[in-house]
Amino acid sequence: MRLTRQTNYAMRILMYCAANNDRLSRIPEIAAAYSVSELFLFKILQPLVEHGLVETVRGRNGGVRLGRAAESISLFDVVRVTEESFAMAECFENDAAECPLVDSCALNSALREALNAFFAVLERYTIADLVAARPNVRSLLGIDMLAERRAPAA
């Protein structure tokens, strides 16, 4: 099983927002932190917003933030909205080629079991877990540096 680049960066967007939970995150900042294009991240945002994982705030001081608590967003939630197909073999697909074993195939059964195990592990981990695993995530993403620049001089 290989996750798409879209899923990878969807999780990274959510991690950035979770690490930056005290203010709105801006797409240019997230893009710079991960060295990807803003356009690419805007495309990824759409399904995240549609499924309530991210909220957008429009306007001059707008940005994005988590749609719900990081503790309540599992990795499976993200994979479910960003991946198009979980077909591990041709026989998982509706328009699969005819196979005489399709109704009693041990391979199909084993692959389905493996996929369910994969989903179960993703369900156990949250965005909050990923951020908590790296106590210096704010510094690694450049969030602390941005916050220092924005702080009013005393």
Side-chain angles (χ1 to χ4, degrees), residues 9 12 14 23 34 51-52 62 70 89 98 108 115 137 140:
Y9 281 95
R12 291 176 189 222
L14 295 170
R23 67 176 190 84
Y34 294 122
H51 290 89
E98 289 298 316
N108 191 331
L115 185 61
V137 72
L140 291 170

Side-chain angles (χ1 to χ4, degrees), residues 64-135:
V64 296
R65 63 179 166 226
L66 294 180
R68 55 186 208 238
E71 296 81 15
S72 72
I73 302 173
S74 73
L75 300 186
F76 180 62
D77 292 334
V78 183
V79 168
R80 185 175 33 214
V81 303
T82 57
E83 289 293 323
E84 290 184 20
S85 172
F86 297 107
M88 294 180 70
E90 184 181 12
C91 54
F92 275 42
E93 298 172 6
N94 291 336
D95 61 346
E98 289 298 316
C99 174
L101 301 176
V102 74
D103 291 326
S104 61
C105 181
L107 174 61
N108 191 331
S109 177
L111 291 176
R112 210 170 287 288
E113 183 180 343
L115 185 61
N116 288 335
F118 176 68
F119 290 157
V121 170
L122 292 178
E123 189 66 49
R124 287 197 325 250
Y125 291 90
T126 68
I127 295 300
D129 294 332
L130 298 182
V131 173
R134 297 276 183 230

Side-chain angles (χ1 to χ4, degrees), residues 12-21 25 30 54 64-66:
R12 291 176 189 222
I13 289 169
L14 295 170
M15 290 171 62
Y16 189 100
C17 290
N20 191 33
N21 65 353
S25 298
I30 300 171
V54 172
V64 296
R65 63 179 166 226
L66 294 180

